[in-house]
Amino acid sequence: MTDRGTFPAHGTPAAELEAQLGDMRAGDLDWRGGKAFSLVYNSGDERHEALLETVGHSYQHDNALNPFAYPSLLQIEIELIAMAAGLLGAPPDAGALTAGGTQSIFCAVQVARDHARAERGIAEPKLVTPRTAHPAFAKAAHYLDIEHVLVPVGADGRVDLAALDGLVDDRTGLVVASAPNYPFGVIDDVASVAALASDRGALCHVDGCLGGWLLPWWAELGEPVPPWDLRVPGVTSLSADIHKYGYSFKGASVVLYADRALLRHQHFWYDEWPGGTYASSGPAGTRPAPPIAAAWFAVRHLGADGYLEKARQVRDATRAFQAAVEAVPGLRITHEPDLSLFEFTDDRGRIDAIAAGMHDRGWHLDRQQGGLHLMLSPHHATVVDEFAADLARTAADAEPVEGGDATGPDAGYGGIAGRRS
Ligand SMILES: *Cc1c(COP(=O)(O)O)cnc(C)c1O
């Protein structure tokens, strides 16, 4: 008999598989409980979730690869891109939907590479990013075989402009600024970065994957928000994830360009294939329809007033969590955040013990190189008192650890549930 490894010889009854999945999921991240601070952006609104599930379900089996087979998806996509463009300062047709922030960033880097080659005659353009920029840029540089130059950041967590000035040269194809960056929640000086890039003829991408769907409302709440989007002269592309603060489920992001001519570098068209002409607007082939339809539904259903209200909840939760951290003697926010996320550390050497103690109390705080990381969603407002009490108790119980810190092989995303001791 052919050896097929673990491939099932016979079908398994659905009830058995469902039960098995239920058991397997017992250890999964419990984001609904409000004790997780990354990966899922909890809108705090189960009715909203249910509506999106219904929309997603109705599109479950459709394929957005060929929008002409699905006029509804074509219309949804065009409208969603135009709405995002209106929010973030792009022409209404100069963008594309992707499955996530990493893909949006990949597209922007590829466009910049091909723009440098086609328009500027630079065979091997370079990508220049702050050290704090998301690893998606390093990944894109790796896959696209582009030299990646890292720029240090200053004490405030923003890219060091003097260092940037020295590192952008006539081979630079793309310069990146984050709005905000993930580790510290601070926004780079986008206007200065974009001006510097534009002076040298380079493109400038703003990574608004995290902030793109929150910053517009943050500003409307009266919070200080420096200019950061495609309205800033010199900014040529922007990524913004709808599956984060756009409050839709996973698989929806948008990449926008200052000019539709740039987007054209992202389009792929091939007619050497016996199967016929093949065209796509980005790297994906078959594309799931549910995230696209649900993202459109989320934006239309919430609208500016809905997003503003959720932003108010996020802002208030952020202030409350900052206060909870600052109320504990020794704990310190490492960089004054511009948005809804921050890193904190302990000046008394207990951060590792605090990480472990909070984990034992059910809190999933991400470990970073310089401390613990919190990112707030609307739902967190309901758990802030419990958090404050647990943090104070944990810190009081924590013994300083020799050389203790939150860093190590299990730091970051992968260290969410990790314990070092
Ligand atoms: C989440 C994030 C990304 C990557 O997005 P994915 O959807 O995880 O692929 C990029 N940049 C920032 C700042 C992010 O927060």
Side-chain angles (χ1 to χ4, degrees):
M1 225 179 76
T2 313
D3 179 7
R4 296 201 182 98
T6 59
F7 192 87
H10 308 287
T12 306
E16 206 177 301
L17 292 176
E18 282 160 7
Q20 192 184 342
L21 281 175
D23 291 345
M24 286 161 64
R25 296 194 68 174
D28 289 356
L29 185 74
D30 169 29
W31 56 272
R32 279 185 207 277
K35 290 185 161 184
F37 297 91
S38 66
L39 299 172
V40 177
Y41 294 65
N42 188 342
S43 72
D45 181 349
E46 288 185 12
R47 166 107 185 108
H48 181 75
E49 278 166 33
L51 287 169
L52 299 189
E53 282 161 17
T54 304
V55 175
H57 192 239
S58 74
Y59 273 97
Q60 195 71 53
H61 301 287
D62 298 304
N63 186 346
L65 165 63
N66 182 353
F68 300 107
Y70 294 98
S72 73
L73 284 174
L74 178 62
Q75 187 181 344
I76 282 171
E77 195 157 355
I78 288 171
E79 289 183 10
L80 185 52
I81 291 164
M83 291 188 287
L87 183 67
L88 302 169
D93 61 351
L97 292 182
T98 75
T102 300
Q103 249 188 50
S104 290
I105 287 167
F106 185 95
C107 289
V109 174
Q110 174 260 312
V111 162
R113 182 196 67 179
D114 294 351
H115 169 268
R117 286 178 179 164
E119 316 290 335
R120 298 171 63 206
I122 304 171
E124 298 297 338
K126 294 193 278 196
L127 168 67
V128 178
T129 77
R131 288 197 67 81
T132 46
H134 193 276
F137 292 98
K139 193 197 276 194
H142 176 70
Y143 285 150
L144 293 164
D145 194 18
I146 293 171
E147 185 180 339
H148 183 195
V149 179
L150 289 176
V151 187
V153 298
D156 60 0
R158 279 174 246 288
V159 67
D160 179 330
L161 293 170
L164 181 70
D165 187 55
L167 289 167
V168 174
D169 62 21
D170 54 14
R171 256 185 62 208
T172 303
L174 184 65
V175 183
V176 171
S178 305
N181 63 44
Y182 183 88
F184 309 140
V186 308
I187 303 175
D188 290 316
D189 180 347
V190 172
S192 299
V193 172
L196 199 154
S198 142
D199 277 355
R200 315 275 164 89
L203 301 184
C204 174
H205 181 83
V206 171
D207 180 9
C209 282
L210 179 60
W213 289 86
L214 184 54
L215 280 170
W217 324 114
W218 210 253
E220 214 158 299
L221 288 171
E223 298 295 328
V225 176
W228 66 278
D229 63 13
L230 277 155
R231 295 173 181 92
V232 176
V235 174
T236 53
S237 59
L238 187 151
S239 46
D241 296 351
I242 315 175
H243 64 207
K244 290 180 178 166
Y245 287 111
Y247 305 114
S248 195
F249 57 75
K250 300 291 174 274
S253 172
V254 63
V255 57
L256 300 167
Y257 297 93
D259 189 327
R260 196 173 150 80
L262 285 171
L263 174 66
R264 289 210 187 89
H265 291 287
Q266 189 182 308
H267 289 160
F268 181 77
W269 195 80
Y270 187 71
D271 68 359
E272 301 292 325
W273 189 42
T277 297
Y278 188 103
S280 64
S281 62
T286 287
R287 290 192 304 149
I292 300 172
W296 177 91
F297 194 96
V299 175
R300 292 285 307 275
H301 188 58
L302 285 170
D305 36 14
Y307 280 112
L308 184 63
E309 186 45 39
K310 294 221 178 295
R312 192 188 311 279
Q313 295 163 5
V314 173
R315 194 262 318 260
D316 294 350
T318 305
R319 297 290 173 258
F321 274 82
Q322 282 181 278
V325 168
E326 283 165 340
V328 178
L331 296 190
R332 177 171 54 83
I333 292 171
T334 61
H335 303 80
E336 185 58 33
D338 291 317
L339 203 62
S340 53
L341 64 163
F342 59 88
E343 178 189 75
F344 70 94
T345 188
D346 178 47
D347 289 331
R348 303 182 181 175
R350 301 166 299 177
I351 198 71
D352 201 37
I354 290 171
M358 288 300 277
H359 182 262
D360 288 343
R361 291 184 151 98
W363 298 95
H364 299 276
L365 303 179
D366 288 350
R367 297 165 186 235
Q368 303 199 132
Q369 289 180 354
L372 299 174
H373 189 259
L374 284 173
M375 183 158 57
L376 290 317
S377 323
H379 184 61
H380 286 118
T382 63
V383 297
V384 65
D385 292 340
E386 191 187 345
F387 176 85
D390 279 353
L391 186 64
R393 230 176 280 141
T394 304
D397 292 348
E399 296 290 338
V401 176
E402 191 75 31
D405 60 32
T407 68
D410 58 357
Y413 279 10
I416 291 161
R419 289 278 305 271
R420 299 183 65 207
S421 50

